Amino acid sequence: SSGWGRPKLVGFLANNDSGAAMYARWTGKACERDGVDFELRHVERTKLEEAVVEANDDNSVHGIIVYYPVFGGPIDDYIRDVISIKKDVEGLNHRYRYSLYHNIRTLDNFGNRKCVLPCTPLAILKILEHLGAYDRAREVGNQLADKVAVVFNRSEVVGRPLAAMLANDGATVYSIDVTGMLEYKKGRVHGTIKVNETALSQDEALRSADIVIAGVPVKSFSVDAAKLKPGCLALNFAPHSNFSEGVEDKCTFVPAIGKVTIAMLERNLIRLQTSWANDNTTTTGAALDSAGSSAEGSVHVGVRLVLEKR
């Protein structure tokens, strides 16, 4: 009805990871339900780059997602940068990542088009907004001021960008992984994130936290509900619960975020389709990129939270 036609998303599965395969199945089911064309392409990992480049240059494709891990480490980072900024539904190309960490909302070198944010961190922020964590009376960028958040995960795909996004909105964030805990705050210079070492213990951070978010892919890991601040918001994005029994009685608990993550994926896809529909320049990632940008938008795909712009 918009006149743009059905958006098309292409997914690349180049591994035997069960979690990646499950995410691909969820994506396909949601896209079928919501009127999005989805094509899953199984490729050998050594042929993934050329397959992505071909999709970059295919005008019938509006979005590309690669289900990681493929090689792991720096090679996967390289693959993320091969995806064009015009088709990167996950917002993981270095141009979008630079923009996220510097709180840049638009691509000034490309007609001020809005940037794309990574789906899972964005889904978590949308859920927090829906649950009332954001103070709407404050200006944008300070709506989480005076809030303390603890994030158990510092991956480049979810945990680290999530900590930066929360800090950009004014929160003090304690980011925890196997190497220890770091504090994230909005920097003194606009558009920067200040990362500090901290002498605070994890238990002290949890006692002060208004928001606790966990995504540790280890079944033995668990956040003790007894250590949480009464009334806090607790969100789980691991494939199994990272919180002990009793969390529902003490906190507002969100046990899974998968459906909202898929909604954010579809929303990013529609943003890319409408933003770049009439652009016919070369779409290879490296040919388009240099310094930074980041933001969001609004598409209804059955999840009411998606309607609100960031």
Side-chain angles (χ1 to χ4, degrees), residues 48-289:
L48 177 59
E49 180 181 0
E50 62 184 30
V52 169
V53 170
E54 287 176 353
N56 279 344
D57 293 330
D58 182 347
N59 290 332
S60 72
V61 176
H62 304 107
I64 296 169
I65 179 172
V66 173
Y67 295 99
Y68 298 100
V70 180
F71 295 92
I75 301 179
D76 281 5
D77 272 344
Y78 171 75
I79 294 296
R80 292 181 185 104
D81 282 342
V82 171
I83 300 173
S84 167
I85 59 171
K86 296 181 181 183
K87 303 191 178 187
D88 182 8
V89 291
E90 293 194 289
L92 295 175
N93 182 285
H94 79 268
R95 177 65 185 257
Y96 288 137
R97 285 188 286 172
Y98 177 95
S99 300
L100 184 155
Y101 289 116
H102 291 83
N103 204 19
I104 299 169
R105 301 282 172 151
T106 58
L107 294 166
D108 55 354
N109 293 334
F110 297 97
N112 288 319
R113 289 175 170 90
K114 289 184 176 180
C115 294
V116 171
L117 289 171
C119 304
T120 301
L122 181 57
I124 291 169
L125 265 61
K126 292 296 186 184
I127 292 169
L128 291 175
E129 287 179 343
H130 182 71
L131 294 175
Y134 282 72
D135 184 351
R136 299 292 190 179
R138 296 178 184 263
E139 63 180 348
V140 173
N142 286 310
Q143 293 182 350
L144 289 179
D146 304 325
K147 291 287 196 300
V148 174
V150 172
V151 180
F152 288 93
N153 183 296
R154 198 156 60 238
S155 70
E156 290 299 317
V157 178
V158 182
R160 185 166 169 257
L162 173 61
M165 291 163 72
L166 290 167
N168 278 335
D169 286 338
T172 297
V173 185
Y174 294 103
S175 171
I176 301 170
D177 72 357
V178 292
T179 66
M181 185 165 70
L182 295 172
E183 179 191 71
Y184 282 61
K185 283 187 173 182
K186 188 179 296 188
R188 179 181 57 82
V189 177
H190 177 72
T192 62
I193 299 295
K194 177 64 174 173
V195 181
N196 299 308
E197 301 285 355
T198 177
L200 208 65
S201 70
Q202 289 187 22
D203 286 353
E204 289 171 326
L206 284 172
R207 282 197 296 270
S208 67
D210 306 286
I211 300 164
V212 180
I213 303 164
V216 179
V218 178
K219 289 184 178 181
S220 59
F221 177 82
S222 180
V223 179
D224 186 353
K227 296 180 178 180
L228 299 177
K229 180 180 178 179
C232 78
L233 304 178
L235 282 74
N236 179 77
F237 69 90
H240 42 268
S241 181
N242 279 169
F243 292 87
S244 71
E245 290 185 10
V247 65
E248 300 95 336
D249 300 326
K250 195 171 186 179
C251 312
T252 298
F253 180 51
V254 179
I257 66 164
K259 291 183 178 180
V260 186
T261 299
I262 297 294
M264 295 301 106
L265 179 71
E266 293 180 322
R267 161 224 193 252
N268 285 349
L269 174 66
I270 294 173
R271 165 164 291 177
L272 291 169
Q273 180 193 23
T274 56
S275 292
W276 298 97
N278 297 320
D279 188 283
N280 294 314
T281 56
T282 303
T283 59
T284 301
L288 281 167
D289 294 337

